[in-house]
Amino acid sequence: MKLFPFGHATHPQWQMAAGLVLAQLRAQVALHDYAASPTLGLLYITDHYAAHAQDILDHVSAELPEVTDWSGTVGVGIASSNVEYFDEPAMAVMLCELPSDQYRVFSGVAPLSPLFPAHTALVHADGMTPDLSELIGEMAGRTATGYLFGGLASSRAETVQFAIGGNGNIKGHGKAGGVFRGGLSGVAFADGVSLVSRVTQGCQPVAPERTITESDRNVIYKLDGEPALDVLLRDLAITLDEPSEAMATLRATLVGLTDAGSDLVGRTGTFGNDVVVRHIIGLDPTRRGVAIAEKVEEGMRAAFCKRNAQAAKADLMRICAEIREEVEPEEMPLAVASALAASEAQAEPTPTRRIAGAVYVSCAGRGGPHFGGPSAELQIVRRALGDVPLVGFFAGGEIARHHLYGYTGVLTVFR
């Protein structure tokens, strides 16, 4: 598999940004190391362009007639290799060269056929969709691995999704035009498309994991048989007798949760892949309970944690290292090994790096400011993976496996 052509640009006029992106794509398609016959396009736009979504899709699909399938969405920010576009008009496109029988674009008007052997899926969703968590779980259940990756569209204007297949000729699309509002859409992949995906929570446990032994809806009353509020105050070394100091600490504290029988904290001291992190939203001094932004059940595992820039950087570097370890061979030619050890400026994309392209979905509350500067989050990814083709967006919630996350990053690579 060759490298996927990609391009990104910002401009007050979407036509100019599209022109810049198309120029980058055409230049790469002409290069030997890049895919010459892509068929699937991933398109992400910032919400500045949301009102022009249909015009943008019509334009790029007309300019790239060989690309018959499109998927994507809108974000308050979008991402590409080494760069983030926040609060500015921008778009990013990646063209994937995949066998036509190994993927299917789906949407609300053209649902995924039960006959397609889905292995995993890229999913874009509208956060206002009723019963969204159940729909995500149902979609995961339709894949052989149960693994989804993607996120919720985020926008201060219209919330749109792109989904069109077979150059508009797939039954069910009708006159929809490929731009949708509400529900789920995306791309399902068969097992012939090799993907590696990881979730970064950006959180560090600050206390031992415990079992929820008494609860009521979203309130934890007992942890390992002890009053939950007492456990929380002891773990954080705070007291309600000093409310100002206590509240400052509590606002920076979250709770990591996982189902009974699942690992909460891994061997590296970080949260496992099935952990969801939720905010503390209230305290019950009378019954010594702790209310969180998630329904809980007895038997679930929980641990108090903190989210900060240092933990986020370390965890992002960890998942990048895990991905590289999985996609790169144990033995490689000297030239390739030298390239991987080269400085950032020398680490140019090459097929021998074994990553054809990547999709990164991060929380709209993360991005450069959380990591210390403009584009800092994507710069960390580039330093860890090299200058691989990458597109993505900053979401209102992140999807990985059958979970809906918050304040996380989901990095997926095609190998």
Side-chain angles (χ1 to χ4, degrees):
M1 188 181 291
K2 291 189 174 183
L3 295 165
F4 294 160
F6 75 110
H8 54 91
T10 177
H11 196 278
Q13 299 179 3
W14 70 262
Q15 297 91 337
M16 295 298 295
L20 293 169
V21 168
L22 289 166
Q24 296 170 56
L25 295 172
R26 288 169 176 149
Q28 292 173 13
V29 167
L31 299 175
H32 174 72
D33 289 342
Y34 284 83
S37 302
T39 56
L40 171 64
L42 301 181
L43 168 62
Y44 296 106
I45 62 173
T46 61
D47 54 1
H48 289 71
Y49 290 154
H52 306 288
Q54 189 67 64
D55 293 333
I56 291 171
L57 179 60
D58 290 344
H59 179 72
V60 297
S61 58
E63 290 292 319
L64 299 167
E66 70 278 11
V67 181
T68 57
D69 306 274
W70 290 90
S71 180
T73 191
V74 62
V76 294
I78 62 170
S80 194
S81 180
N82 209 41
V83 64
E84 304 163 8
Y85 296 101
F86 264 104
D87 197 26
E88 58 183 320
M91 67 176 68
V93 175
M94 185 166 71
L95 305 180
C96 310
E97 187 177 59
L98 303 171
S100 59
D101 64 341
Q102 291 294 305
Y103 71 90
R104 288 290 184 276
V105 175
F106 62 89
S107 66
V109 299
L112 181 65
S113 169
L115 300 178
F116 180 74
H119 197 67
T120 185
L122 167 63
V123 175
H124 307 118
D126 187 327
M128 300 302 291
T129 301
D131 302 320
L132 181 58
S133 295
E134 289 77 6
L135 290 174
I136 292 172
E138 179 185 348
M139 186 66 205
R142 298 180 64 182
T143 67
T145 62
Y147 196 100
L148 308 179
F149 62 98
L152 308 185
S154 61
S155 176
R156 292 160 295 190
E158 293 185 78
T159 301
V160 298
Q161 301 169 50
F162 302 108
I164 192 165
N167 202 23
N169 295 323
I170 286 182
K171 181 180 179 182
H173 276 294
K175 297 181 179 179
V179 176
F180 301 93
R181 293 157 183 83
L184 274 63
S185 67
V187 188
F189 301 99
D191 59 2
V193 179
S194 183
L195 298 166
V196 179
S197 188
R198 292 289 187 276
V199 180
T200 172
Q201 297 274 9
C203 288
Q204 201 71 28
V206 295
E209 61 178 272
R210 296 180 173 89
T211 300
I212 298 175
T213 50
E214 185 180 334
S215 66
D216 181 14
R217 289 176 290 186
N218 67 319
V219 182
I220 303 171
Y221 285 112
K222 288 190 177 180
L223 291 166
D224 285 347
E226 291 188 75
L229 180 56
D230 296 347
V231 174
L232 172 64
L233 297 176
R234 185 173 69 243
D235 285 346
L236 301 182
I238 59 176
T239 174
L240 296 182
D241 294 334
E242 299 174 351
S244 297
E245 293 80 356
M247 291 307 298
T249 301
L250 288 169
R251 290 192 186 100
T253 304
L254 302 96
V255 181
L257 299 166
T258 191
D259 294 334
S262 299
D263 291 332
L264 186 68
V265 181
R267 290 178 296 176
T268 60
T270 59
F271 282 137
N273 292 326
D274 289 320
V275 176
V276 295
V277 177
R278 296 292 185 260
H279 284 283
I280 295 173
I281 59 174
L283 305 176
D284 183 350
T286 303
R287 296 186 59 186
R288 313 304 289 174
V290 178
I292 64 174
E294 180 78 10
K295 184 179 178 180
V296 295
E297 297 177 354
E298 295 174 10
M300 294 177 70
R301 305 284 289 171
F304 299 114
C305 59
K306 289 186 181 296
R307 178 178 286 116
N308 54 55
Q310 184 176 357
K313 290 178 182 178
D315 203 43
L316 181 55
M317 293 174 65
R318 174 188 64 82
I319 68 163
C320 290
E322 289 181 359
I323 288 174
R324 279 188 54 170
E325 183 178 355
E326 186 161 344
V327 302
E328 291 170 359
E330 294 183 5
E331 297 182 3
M332 61 184 70
L334 178 60
V336 179
S338 299
L340 295 178
S343 67
E344 180 182 348
Q346 295 172 306
E348 295 300 322
T350 164
T352 52
R353 295 188 63 86
R354 303 179 68 87
I355 297 177
V359 176
Y360 188 52
V361 180
S362 185
C363 178
R366 286 164 55 102
H370 183 65
F371 287 81
S375 299
E377 184 173 9
L378 271 296
Q379 289 170 4
I380 292 172
V381 174
R382 182 180 184 271
R383 283 194 294 270
L385 292 186
D387 196 12
V388 301
L390 181 149
V391 294
F393 70 106
F394 290 87
E398 302 76 60
I399 299 170
R401 295 175 177 80
H402 60 283
H403 294 302
L404 180 59
Y405 290 88
Y407 298 99
T408 60
V410 181
L411 178 61
T412 306
V413 304
F414 294 83
R415 62 177 181 179

